[in-house]
Amino acid sequence: MTGAVTLREMTAADLPAVLDLEHALFGDEAWTEGMLASELAGVASGRYYLVAEDGAELAGYAGLLTPGGGQADVLTLAVAAPRQGQGLGSVLLDALLAEAGRRGCTEVFLEVRVDNHRAQLLYQRRGFVEIGIRRGYYQPSGTDALVMRLSLDRPGRAGPARGAPAHGTPAHDQAGRRPAGWGAR
């Protein structure tokens, strides 16, 4: 990955830049300011949001939900177009998986657009497997979502299950997301 990137927890002050990137990447399917603010306000109730900064510039962001019961959901993961293909998506995903492990999760789920092959490759390289399809999930386009699952081998482990690619495996970024229905796109 080129350039020095810093990961930190997202704050309300990040919302304008996150919204700009959200709209640039996802157009009509972008989350609204209200949705993002609501998600960020829910951090105390099992949500975890990160931003990746390159100096003062937002390079990407990601979010995770850990509702309990040993499960987590990747809610969003986005990388700015100029930073795609440099491993930043992998860094963000690895940070979410590490947090899921710290929170005692044993499995992680996500939805990703069926036409977002780059994101699917990232997730597969981290050990996610396809488990189903949600028809017409993304709105307003009506695009289907591929549902994927990763088994963490034990609570507290910060990575994919045994037999899955190790952290640091080169991967593409610009992962999928969830729109109004939530979930990774």
Side-chain angles (χ1 to χ4, degrees), residues 62-183:
L64 182 77
L65 172 65
T66 55
Q71 296 180 343
D73 290 288
V74 174
L75 298 176
T76 188
L77 196 157
V79 174
R83 295 306 301 260
Q84 292 176 15
Q86 298 175 14
L88 184 53
S90 297
V91 169
L92 285 163
L93 181 58
D94 288 348
L96 295 183
L97 296 177
E99 185 64 22
R102 280 191 291 276
R103 294 182 182 202
C105 297
T106 57
E107 52 188 359
V108 181
F109 296 88
L110 59 81
E111 285 89 8
V112 59
R113 291 177 59 102
V114 295
D115 58 359
N116 191 341
H117 302 291
R118 189 177 212 176
Q120 292 170 35
L121 181 59
L122 167 63
Y123 298 137
Q124 290 165 353
R125 287 182 175 170
R126 289 301 185 267
F128 281 85
V129 295
E130 300 174 17
I131 61 170
I133 298 279
R134 294 187 193 265
R135 301 280 175 214
Y137 185 77
Y138 293 99
Q139 297 300 317
S141 71
T143 302
D144 295 342
L146 180 63
V147 182
M148 301 183 83
R149 176 181 174 269
L150 171 69
S151 292
L152 300 178
D153 63 355
R154 64 187 181 277
R157 186 172 185 280
R162 271 182 240 114
H167 290 312
T169 301
H172 296 289
D173 49 39
Q174 184 20 31
R177 318 224 346 135
R178 285 189 197 194
W182 306 116

Side-chain angles (χ1 to χ4, degrees), residues 6 9 11 17 19 23 31-32 53 59 78 81-82 103 105 120 133 136 141 156 168 172 174 176 179 183:
T6 303
E9 288 193 42
T11 68
L19 276 168
H23 286 282
W31 288 4
T32 66
E53 292 180 314
R103 294 182 182 202
C105 297
Q120 292 170 35
I133 298 279
S141 71
H172 296 289
Q174 184 20 31

